[in-house]
Amino acid sequence: MPDLVELGSVIRTARKRHRLTQSDLARKSGVSRARIDALENERTAGIGFKPVLRLLNALGLDLKVGELDRGRPTLEDLMAEEGGDAARLD
């Protein structure tokens, strides 16, 4: 599942593909233009689930939830295997 930064990028790309301005999308979704701008430009600390769904629906997109693939290691798992820490990722 994408994080907010990735989601903002997906929304911006879809909005431009549909040739919509942020104001157009705001009218179509009921989400403020300021909130859309903040989301698209990585300036939002959080946004509610309902506004995200309204934006996605207005753009013809869907959010899918699936089973977590427990067979794939997480970043933390890989770091523990190597005995490393976050500083080694730089």
Coordinates of all heavy atoms in Angstrom, one line a residue:
M1 N 0.8 -1.2 0.0 CA 0.0 0.0 0.0 C 0.9 1.2 0.0 O 1.9 1.3 0.8 CB -0.9 0.0 1.2 CG -1.8 1.2 1.3 SD -3.1 1.1 2.6 CE -4.1 -0.2 1.9
P2 N 0.6 2.2 -0.8 CA 1.4 3.4 -0.9 C 1.3 4.3 0.4 O 0.3 4.3 1.0 CB 0.9 4.1 -2.1 CG -0.5 3.7 -2.3 CD -0.5 2.3 -1.8
D3 N 2.4 5.0 0.7 CA 2.3 6.0 1.7 C 1.7 7.3 1.2 O 1.4 7.3 0.0 CB 3.7 6.2 2.4 CG 4.7 6.7 1.5 OD1 4.4 7.3 0.4 OD2 5.9 6.6 1.8
L4 N 1.6 8.3 2.0 CA 1.0 9.5 1.6 C 1.8 10.2 0.5 O 1.2 10.8 -0.4 CB 0.8 10.5 2.8 CG -0.4 10.2 3.6 CD1 -0.5 11.2 4.8 CD2 -1.7 10.3 2.8
V5 N 3.1 10.2 0.5 CA 3.9 10.8 -0.5 C 3.6 10.1 -1.9 O 3.4 10.8 -2.9 CB 5.4 10.7 -0.2 CG1 6.2 11.2 -1.3 CG2 5.7 11.6 1.1
E6 N 3.6 8.8 -1.9 CA 3.3 8.1 -3.1 C 1.9 8.3 -3.6 O 1.6 8.5 -4.8 CB 3.6 6.6 -2.9 CG 5.0 6.2 -2.7 CD 5.2 4.8 -2.2 OE1 4.4 4.3 -1.4 OE2 6.2 4.2 -2.5
L7 N 1.0 8.3 -2.6 CA -0.4 8.6 -3.0 C -0.6 10.0 -3.6 O -1.4 10.1 -4.5 CB -1.3 8.4 -1.7 CG -2.8 8.2 -1.9 CD1 -3.1 7.0 -2.8 CD2 -3.4 7.9 -0.6
G8 N 0.1 10.9 -3.0 CA 0.0 12.3 -3.6 C 0.5 12.3 -5.0 O -0.1 13.0 -5.9
S9 N 1.5 11.6 -5.3 CA 2.1 11.6 -6.6 C 1.1 10.9 -7.6 O 0.9 11.3 -8.7 CB 3.4 10.8 -6.6 OG 4.0 10.7 -7.9
V10 N 0.5 9.8 -7.1 CA -0.5 9.1 -7.9 C -1.7 10.0 -8.3 O -2.1 10.0 -9.4 CB -1.0 7.8 -7.2 CG1 -2.2 7.2 -7.9 CG2 0.2 6.7 -7.2
I11 N -2.1 10.7 -7.3 CA -3.2 11.6 -7.5 C -2.9 12.7 -8.4 O -3.6 13.1 -9.4 CB -3.7 12.2 -6.1 CG1 -4.5 11.0 -5.4 CG2 -4.6 13.4 -6.3 CD1 -4.8 11.3 -3.9
R12 N -1.7 13.3 -8.3 CA -1.2 14.4 -9.2 C -1.2 13.9 -10.6 O -1.6 14.5 -11.6 CB 0.1 14.9 -8.8 CG 0.6 16.1 -9.7 CD 2.0 16.6 -9.3 NE 3.0 15.6 -9.0 CZ 3.5 15.3 -7.8 NH1 3.1 16.0 -6.8 NH2 4.4 14.4 -7.7
T13 N -0.6 12.7 -10.8 CA -0.4 12.1 -12.2 C -1.8 11.8 -12.8 O -2.0 12.2 -14.0 CB 0.4 10.8 -12.1 OG1 1.7 11.1 -11.6 CG2 0.6 10.2 -13.4
A14 N -2.7 11.3 -12.0 CA -4.0 11.0 -12.6 C -4.8 12.3 -12.9 O -5.5 12.4 -13.9 CB -4.8 10.1 -11.6
R15 N -4.7 13.3 -12.0 CA -5.3 14.5 -12.2 C -4.9 15.2 -13.5 O -5.7 15.6 -14.4 CB -5.1 15.5 -11.0 CG -5.7 16.9 -11.2 CD -5.4 17.8 -10.1 NE -4.0 18.0 -9.8 CZ -3.2 18.8 -10.5 NH1 -3.7 19.5 -11.6 NH2 -1.9 19.0 -10.2
K16 N -3.6 15.2 -13.8 CA -3.0 15.7 -15.0 C -3.4 14.9 -16.2 O -3.7 15.5 -17.3 CB -1.5 15.9 -14.9 CG -1.1 16.9 -13.9 CD 0.4 17.1 -13.8 CE 0.8 18.2 -12.9 NZ 2.2 18.5 -12.8
R17 N -3.5 13.6 -16.0 CA -3.9 12.7 -17.2 C -5.3 13.0 -17.6 O -5.6 13.0 -18.7 CB -3.7 11.3 -16.8 CG -4.0 10.3 -17.9 CD -3.7 8.8 -17.5 NE -4.6 8.4 -16.4 CZ -4.1 8.0 -15.2 NH1 -2.8 8.0 -15.0 NH2 -4.9 7.6 -14.3
H18 N -6.1 13.4 -16.6 CA -7.5 13.7 -16.9 C -7.7 15.2 -17.2 O -8.8 15.7 -17.4 CB -8.4 13.4 -15.7 CG -8.6 12.0 -15.4 ND1 -9.5 11.2 -16.1 CD2 -8.0 11.1 -14.6 CE1 -9.5 10.0 -15.7 NE2 -8.6 9.9 -14.8
R19 N -6.6 15.9 -17.3 CA -6.5 17.4 -17.7 C -7.4 18.2 -16.7 O -8.2 19.0 -17.2 CB -6.9 17.6 -19.1 CG -5.9 16.9 -20.1 CD -6.3 17.3 -21.5 NE -5.2 16.7 -22.3 CZ -5.4 16.1 -23.5 NH1 -6.6 15.9 -23.9 NH2 -4.4 15.6 -24.1
L20 N -7.3 17.9 -15.4 CA -8.0 18.6 -14.4 C -7.0 19.5 -13.7 O -5.9 19.1 -13.4 CB -8.6 17.7 -13.4 CG -9.7 16.7 -13.9 CD1 -10.1 15.7 -12.8 CD2 -10.9 17.5 -14.4
T21 N -7.5 20.7 -13.3 CA -6.7 21.5 -12.4 C -7.0 21.1 -11.0 O -8.0 20.3 -10.7 CB -7.1 23.0 -12.5 OG1 -8.5 23.2 -12.1 CG2 -6.9 23.5 -14.0
Q22 N -6.3 21.6 -10.0 CA -6.5 21.2 -8.6 C -7.9 21.7 -8.3 O -8.7 21.1 -7.5 CB -5.5 21.8 -7.7 CG -4.2 21.1 -7.8 CD -3.1 21.7 -6.9 OE1 -3.3 22.8 -6.3 NE2 -2.0 20.9 -6.7
S23 N -8.3 22.9 -8.8 CA -9.6 23.5 -8.5 C -10.7 22.6 -9.1 O -11.8 22.4 -8.5 CB -9.7 24.9 -9.0 OG -8.9 25.7 -8.3
D24 N -10.5 22.1 -10.3 CA -11.5 21.2 -10.9 C -11.7 19.9 -10.1 O -12.8 19.5 -9.8 CB -11.0 20.7 -12.3 CG -10.9 21.8 -13.4 OD1 -11.7 22.8 -13.2 OD2 -10.1 21.7 -14.3
L25 N -10.6 19.4 -9.6 CA -10.6 18.2 -8.8 C -11.3 18.5 -7.5 O -12.1 17.6 -6.9 CB -9.2 17.6 -8.6 CG -9.2 16.3 -7.8 CD1 -10.0 15.2 -8.3 CD2 -7.7 15.8 -7.7
A26 N -11.0 19.6 -6.9 CA -11.7 20.0 -5.6 C -13.2 20.1 -5.8 O -13.9 19.5 -5.0 CB -11.1 21.4 -5.2
R27 N -13.7 20.7 -6.9 CA -15.1 20.7 -7.1 C -15.7 19.3 -7.3 O -16.7 19.0 -6.8 CB -15.4 21.6 -8.3 CG -15.4 23.1 -8.0 CD -15.9 23.9 -9.2 NE -15.0 23.8 -10.4 CZ -13.9 24.6 -10.6 NH1 -13.5 25.4 -9.7 NH2 -13.2 24.4 -11.7
K28 N -15.0 18.5 -8.1 CA -15.5 17.2 -8.4 C -15.5 16.2 -7.2 O -16.4 15.4 -7.1 CB -14.6 16.6 -9.5 CG -15.1 15.4 -10.2 CD -14.2 15.0 -11.4 CE -14.8 13.7 -12.0 NZ -14.1 13.3 -13.2
S29 N -14.5 16.4 -6.3 CA -14.4 15.5 -5.2 C -14.9 16.0 -3.8 O -15.2 15.2 -2.9 CB -12.9 15.2 -5.0 OG -12.2 16.3 -4.5
G30 N -15.1 17.3 -3.7 CA -15.5 17.9 -2.5 C -14.4 18.0 -1.5 O -14.6 18.3 -0.3
V31 N -13.1 17.9 -1.9 CA -11.9 18.0 -1.1 C -11.4 19.4 -1.4 O -11.3 19.7 -2.6 CB -10.9 16.9 -1.3 CG1 -9.6 17.1 -0.6 CG2 -11.5 15.5 -1.0
S32 N -10.9 20.2 -0.5 CA -10.4 21.5 -0.7 C -9.2 21.5 -1.6 O -8.4 20.6 -1.6 CB -10.1 22.3 0.6 OG -8.9 21.8 1.1
R33 N -9.1 22.6 -2.4 CA -7.9 22.7 -3.3 C -6.7 22.8 -2.5 O -5.6 22.2 -2.9 CB -8.1 23.9 -4.2 CG -7.0 23.9 -5.3 CD -6.6 25.3 -5.7 NE -6.1 26.2 -4.7 CZ -4.9 26.1 -4.1 NH1 -4.0 25.2 -4.5 NH2 -4.5 26.9 -3.1
A34 N -6.7 23.5 -1.4 CA -5.5 23.6 -0.5 C -5.1 22.2 0.0 O -3.9 21.9 0.1 CB -5.8 24.5 0.7
R35 N -6.0 21.3 0.4 CA -5.7 20.0 0.8 C -5.1 19.2 -0.3 O -4.1 18.4 -0.1 CB -6.9 19.3 1.4 CG -6.6 17.9 2.0 CD -7.7 17.4 2.8 NE -7.5 17.9 4.1 CZ -8.3 17.6 5.1 NH1 -9.2 16.7 5.0 NH2 -8.1 18.1 6.3
I36 N -5.6 19.3 -1.5 CA -5.1 18.6 -2.7 C -3.7 19.1 -3.0 O -2.8 18.3 -3.2 CB -6.0 18.8 -3.9 CG1 -7.4 18.1 -3.7 CG2 -5.3 18.3 -5.2 CD1 -8.4 18.5 -4.7
D37 N -3.5 20.4 -2.9 CA -2.1 20.9 -3.2 C -1.1 20.4 -2.1 O 0.0 20.0 -2.5 CB -2.2 22.5 -3.1 CG -0.8 23.1 -3.4 OD1 -0.4 22.9 -4.5 OD2 -0.3 23.7 -2.5
A38 N -1.5 20.4 -0.9 CA -0.7 19.9 0.2 C -0.3 18.4 0.0 O 0.8 18.0 0.1 CB -1.3 20.1 1.6
L39 N -1.3 17.6 -0.4 CA -1.1 16.2 -0.6 C -0.2 16.0 -1.8 O 0.8 15.2 -1.7 CB -2.4 15.5 -0.8 CG -2.4 14.0 -1.0 CD1 -1.8 13.3 0.2 CD2 -3.8 13.5 -1.3
E40 N -0.4 16.7 -2.9 CA 0.4 16.5 -4.1 C 1.8 17.0 -3.9 O 2.7 16.5 -4.6 CB -0.2 17.2 -5.2 CG -1.5 16.6 -5.8 CD -2.0 17.3 -7.0 OE1 -1.5 18.3 -7.5 OE2 -3.0 16.8 -7.6
N41 N 2.0 17.9 -3.0 CA 3.4 18.5 -2.8 C 4.0 18.1 -1.5 O 4.9 18.9 -1.0 CB 3.3 20.0 -3.0 CG 2.9 20.3 -4.4 OD1 3.8 20.2 -5.3 ND2 1.7 20.8 -4.7
E42 N 3.6 17.0 -0.9 CA 4.2 16.4 0.2 C 4.3 17.3 1.4 O 5.2 17.3 2.2 CB 5.7 16.0 -0.1 CG 5.7 15.0 -1.2 CD 7.2 14.6 -1.7 OE1 8.1 14.8 -0.8 OE2 7.3 14.3 -2.8
R43 N 3.2 18.2 1.6 CA 3.2 19.1 2.7 C 2.1 18.8 3.7 O 1.7 19.6 4.5 CB 3.0 20.5 2.2 CG 4.2 21.1 1.4 CD 4.1 22.6 1.2 NE 2.7 23.0 0.8 CZ 2.3 23.1 -0.5 NH1 3.1 22.8 -1.4 NH2 1.1 23.5 -0.7
T44 N 1.6 17.6 3.7 CA 0.5 17.2 4.6 C 1.0 16.2 5.6 O 1.6 15.2 5.2 CB -0.7 16.7 3.8 OG1 -1.8 16.5 4.8 CG2 -0.5 15.5 3.1
A45 N 0.7 16.4 6.9 CA 1.1 15.4 7.9 C 0.1 14.3 7.9 O 0.5 13.2 8.3 CB 1.2 16.1 9.2
G46 N -1.0 14.5 7.4 CA -2.0 13.4 7.4 C -3.3 13.9 6.7 O -3.6 15.1 6.7
I47 N -4.0 13.0 6.2 CA -5.3 13.3 5.6 C -6.2 12.2 5.9 O -5.8 11.0 6.0 CB -5.1 13.5 4.1 CG1 -6.5 13.9 3.4 CG2 -4.6 12.3 3.4 CD1 -6.3 14.3 1.9
G48 N -7.5 12.5 6.1 CA -8.4 11.4 6.5 C -8.6 10.4 5.3 O -8.4 10.7 4.2
F49 N -9.2 9.3 5.7 CA -9.4 8.2 4.7 C -10.5 8.6 3.8 O -10.4 8.4 2.6 CB -9.8 6.9 5.5 CG -9.9 5.7 4.7 CD1 -8.7 5.2 4.1 CD2 -11.1 5.1 4.4 CE1 -8.8 4.0 3.3 CE2 -11.1 4.0 3.6 CZ -10.0 3.4 3.1
K50 N -11.6 9.2 4.3 CA -12.7 9.6 3.4 C -12.3 10.6 2.3 O -12.6 10.5 1.1 CB -13.9 10.2 4.2 CG -14.6 9.1 4.9 CD -15.8 9.6 5.6 CE -16.5 8.5 6.4 NZ -17.7 8.9 7.1
P51 N -11.5 11.7 2.6 CA -11.1 12.6 1.6 C -10.2 11.9 0.5 O -10.3 12.2 -0.7 CB -10.3 13.7 2.3 CG -10.8 13.6 3.7 CD -11.2 12.2 4.0
V52 N -9.4 11.0 0.9 CA -8.5 10.2 0.0 C -9.4 9.4 -0.9 O -9.2 9.4 -2.2 CB -7.5 9.3 0.7 CG1 -6.9 8.3 -0.2 CG2 -6.5 10.1 1.4
L53 N -10.4 8.7 -0.4 CA -11.3 7.9 -1.2 C -12.1 8.8 -2.2 O -12.3 8.5 -3.3 CB -12.3 7.1 -0.3 CG -11.7 5.9 0.4 CD1 -12.8 5.2 1.2 CD2 -11.1 5.0 -0.6
R54 N -12.5 10.0 -1.7 CA -13.3 10.9 -2.6 C -12.4 11.4 -3.8 O -12.8 11.5 -4.9 CB -13.8 12.1 -1.8 CG -15.0 11.7 -0.9 CD -15.8 12.9 -0.4 NE -15.0 14.0 0.1 CZ -14.8 14.3 1.4 NH1 -15.4 13.6 2.3 NH2 -14.1 15.4 1.8
L55 N -11.1 11.7 -3.5 CA -10.2 12.0 -4.5 C -10.0 10.9 -5.5 O -10.0 11.1 -6.7 CB -8.8 12.5 -3.9 CG -8.8 13.8 -3.2 CD1 -7.5 14.0 -2.4 CD2 -9.0 14.9 -4.2
L56 N -9.7 9.7 -5.0 CA -9.5 8.6 -5.9 C -10.7 8.3 -6.7 O -10.6 8.1 -7.9 CB -9.1 7.3 -5.0 CG -7.8 7.4 -4.3 CD1 -7.6 6.2 -3.4 CD2 -6.6 7.5 -5.3
N57 N -11.9 8.3 -6.1 CA -13.1 8.1 -6.9 C -13.4 9.1 -7.9 O -13.8 8.8 -9.0 CB -14.3 8.0 -5.9 CG -14.3 6.8 -5.1 OD1 -13.8 5.7 -5.5 ND2 -15.0 6.8 -3.9
A58 N -13.1 10.4 -7.6 CA -13.2 11.4 -8.6 C -12.3 11.2 -9.8 O -12.6 11.7 -10.9 CB -13.0 12.8 -8.0
L59 N -11.2 10.6 -9.6 CA -10.2 10.3 -10.7 C -10.4 8.9 -11.3 O -9.6 8.5 -12.2 CB -8.8 10.5 -10.1 CG -8.4 11.9 -9.7 CD1 -7.2 11.9 -8.8 CD2 -8.3 12.8 -10.9
G60 N -11.4 8.2 -10.9 CA -11.6 6.9 -11.4 C -10.6 5.8 -10.9 O -10.4 4.8 -11.6
L61 N -10.1 6.1 -9.7 CA -9.1 5.2 -9.2 C -9.7 4.5 -8.0 O -10.7 4.9 -7.4 CB -7.9 5.9 -8.7 CG -7.1 6.7 -9.8 CD1 -6.0 7.5 -9.1 CD2 -6.5 5.7 -10.8
D62 N -9.1 3.3 -7.6 CA -9.6 2.6 -6.5 C -8.4 2.2 -5.6 O -7.3 2.1 -6.0 CB -10.2 1.3 -7.0 CG -11.0 0.5 -6.0 OD1 -11.3 1.1 -4.9 OD2 -11.5 -0.6 -6.3
L63 N -8.7 2.1 -4.3 CA -7.7 1.6 -3.3 C -8.0 0.2 -3.0 O -9.1 -0.1 -2.6 CB -7.7 2.5 -2.1 CG -6.7 2.3 -1.0 CD1 -5.3 2.6 -1.6 CD2 -7.0 3.2 0.2
K64 N -7.0 -0.7 -3.2 CA -7.2 -2.1 -3.0 C -6.4 -2.5 -1.7 O -5.3 -2.1 -1.5 CB -6.8 -2.9 -4.2 CG -7.6 -2.6 -5.4 CD -7.2 -3.5 -6.5 CE -8.0 -3.0 -7.7 NZ -8.6 -4.0 -8.5
V65 N -7.1 -3.4 -1.0 CA -6.4 -3.9 0.2 C -6.3 -5.4 0.0 O -7.2 -6.1 -0.5 CB -7.3 -3.7 1.5 CG1 -6.7 -4.4 2.7 CG2 -7.5 -2.2 1.7
G66 N -5.1 -5.9 0.3 CA -4.8 -7.4 0.1 C -4.1 -8.0 1.3 O -3.8 -7.3 2.2
E67 N -4.0 -9.2 1.2 CA -3.3 -9.9 2.3 C -1.8 -9.5 2.4 O -1.2 -9.3 1.3 CB -3.3 -11.5 2.0 CG -4.7 -12.1 2.2 CD -5.1 -12.2 3.7 OE1 -4.2 -12.4 4.6 OE2 -6.3 -12.0 4.0
L68 N -1.3 -9.3 3.5 CA 0.1 -9.0 3.8 C 0.9 -10.2 3.4 O 0.6 -11.3 3.8 CB 0.3 -8.6 5.2 CG 1.7 -8.2 5.6 CD1 2.1 -6.9 4.8 CD2 1.7 -7.9 7.1
D69 N 1.9 -10.0 2.6 CA 2.8 -11.1 2.2 C 3.9 -11.3 3.3 O 4.9 -10.6 3.3 CB 3.5 -10.8 0.8 CG 4.3 -11.9 0.3 OD1 4.4 -12.9 1.0 OD2 4.8 -11.8 -0.8
R70 N 3.6 -12.1 4.2 CA 4.5 -12.4 5.3 C 5.7 -13.1 4.9 O 6.7 -13.2 5.7 CB 3.8 -13.1 6.4 CG 2.6 -12.4 7.0 CD 2.8 -12.0 8.4 NE 1.6 -11.3 8.9 CZ 1.7 -10.2 9.5 NH1 2.8 -9.5 9.7 NH2 0.6 -9.6 10.0
G71 N 5.8 -13.6 3.7 CA 6.9 -14.4 3.2 C 8.1 -13.4 2.8 O 9.2 -13.8 2.7
R72 N 7.7 -12.2 2.5 CA 8.8 -11.2 2.1 C 9.3 -10.5 3.3 O 8.6 -10.1 4.2 CB 8.2 -10.2 1.2 CG 7.7 -10.8 -0.1 CD 7.1 -9.8 -1.1 NE 8.2 -8.9 -1.5 CZ 8.0 -7.7 -2.1 NH1 6.8 -7.3 -2.4 NH2 9.0 -7.0 -2.4
P73 N 10.6 -10.4 3.4 CA 11.2 -9.7 4.6 C 11.0 -8.2 4.6 O 10.9 -7.6 3.5 CB 12.7 -10.0 4.5 CG 12.9 -10.2 3.0 CD 11.6 -10.9 2.5
T74 N 10.8 -7.6 5.7 CA 10.7 -6.2 5.8 C 12.1 -5.6 5.9 O 13.1 -6.3 6.0 CB 10.0 -5.8 7.1 OG1 10.8 -6.2 8.2 CG2 8.6 -6.4 7.2
L75 N 12.2 -4.3 5.8 CA 13.5 -3.6 5.9 C 14.1 -3.9 7.2 O 15.3 -4.2 7.3 CB 13.3 -2.1 5.7 CG 14.5 -1.2 5.9 CD1 15.6 -1.6 4.9 CD2 14.2 0.2 5.7
E76 N 13.3 -3.9 8.3 CA 13.8 -4.2 9.6 C 14.4 -5.7 9.7 O 15.4 -5.9 10.3 CB 12.7 -4.1 10.7 CG 12.3 -2.6 10.9 CD 11.3 -2.1 9.9 OE1 10.8 -2.9 9.1 OE2 11.2 -0.9 9.8
D77 N 13.7 -6.6 9.0 CA 14.2 -8.0 8.9 C 15.6 -8.0 8.3 O 16.5 -8.7 8.7 CB 13.3 -8.9 8.2 CG 11.9 -9.1 8.9 OD1 11.8 -8.9 10.1 OD2 11.0 -9.4 8.1
L78 N 15.7 -7.4 7.1 CA 17.0 -7.4 6.4 C 18.1 -6.7 7.2 O 19.2 -7.2 7.2 CB 16.8 -6.7 5.1 CG 15.9 -7.3 4.1 CD1 15.7 -6.4 2.9 CD2 16.4 -8.7 3.7
M79 N 17.8 -5.6 7.9 CA 18.8 -5.0 8.7 C 19.2 -5.9 9.9 O 20.4 -5.9 10.2 CB 18.2 -3.6 9.2 CG 18.1 -2.6 8.1 SD 17.2 -1.1 8.6 CE 18.1 -0.6 10.1
A80 N 18.3 -6.6 10.5 CA 18.6 -7.5 11.6 C 19.5 -8.6 11.1 O 20.5 -9.0 11.8 CB 17.3 -8.0 12.2
E81 N 19.3 -9.1 9.9 CA 20.1 -10.2 9.3 C 21.5 -9.7 9.2 O 22.5 -10.5 9.4 CB 19.6 -10.6 8.0 CG 18.4 -11.6 8.0 CD 18.0 -12.0 6.6 OE1 18.8 -11.8 5.6 OE2 16.9 -12.5 6.5
E82 N 21.7 -8.5 8.7 CA 23.0 -7.9 8.5 C 23.7 -7.4 9.7 O 24.8 -7.1 9.7 CB 22.9 -6.8 7.4 CG 22.5 -7.3 6.1 CD 23.5 -8.2 5.4 OE1 24.7 -7.9 5.5 OE2 23.0 -9.1 4.8
G83 N 22.9 -7.3 10.8 CA 23.4 -6.8 12.1 C 23.7 -5.3 11.9 O 24.4 -4.7 12.7
G84 N 23.0 -4.6 11.0 CA 23.2 -3.2 10.7 C 22.2 -2.4 11.4 O 21.4 -2.8 12.1
D85 N 22.3 -1.1 11.1 CA 21.4 -0.1 11.6 C 21.0 0.8 10.5 O 21.5 0.8 9.4 CB 21.9 0.6 12.8 CG 23.2 1.3 12.5 OD1 23.5 1.7 11.4 OD2 24.0 1.6 13.5
A86 N 20.1 1.8 10.8 CA 19.6 2.7 9.8 C 20.7 3.6 9.2 O 20.7 4.0 8.0 CB 18.5 3.6 10.4
A87 N 21.8 3.8 9.9 CA 22.9 4.6 9.4 C 23.6 4.0 8.2 O 24.1 4.7 7.4 CB 23.9 4.9 10.5
R88 N 23.5 2.6 8.2 CA 24.2 1.9 7.1 C 23.4 2.1 5.8 O 24.0 1.7 4.7 CB 24.4 0.5 7.4 CG 25.3 0.3 8.6 CD 25.5 -1.1 8.9 NE 26.0 -1.9 7.8 CZ 26.1 -3.2 7.7 NH1 25.6 -3.9 8.7 NH2 26.6 -3.8 6.7
L89 N 22.2 2.6 5.8 CA 21.4 2.7 4.6 C 21.8 3.9 3.7 O 21.5 4.0 2.6 CB 19.9 2.8 4.9 CG 19.3 1.5 5.5 CD1 17.9 1.8 5.9 CD2 19.5 0.3 4.6
D90 N 22.6 4.8 4.3 CA 23.0 6.0 3.6 C 23.9 5.8 2.5 O 24.7 5.1 2.3 CB 23.5 7.1 4.5 CG 22.5 7.6 5.4 OD1 21.3 7.6 5.0 OD2 22.8 8.2 6.5

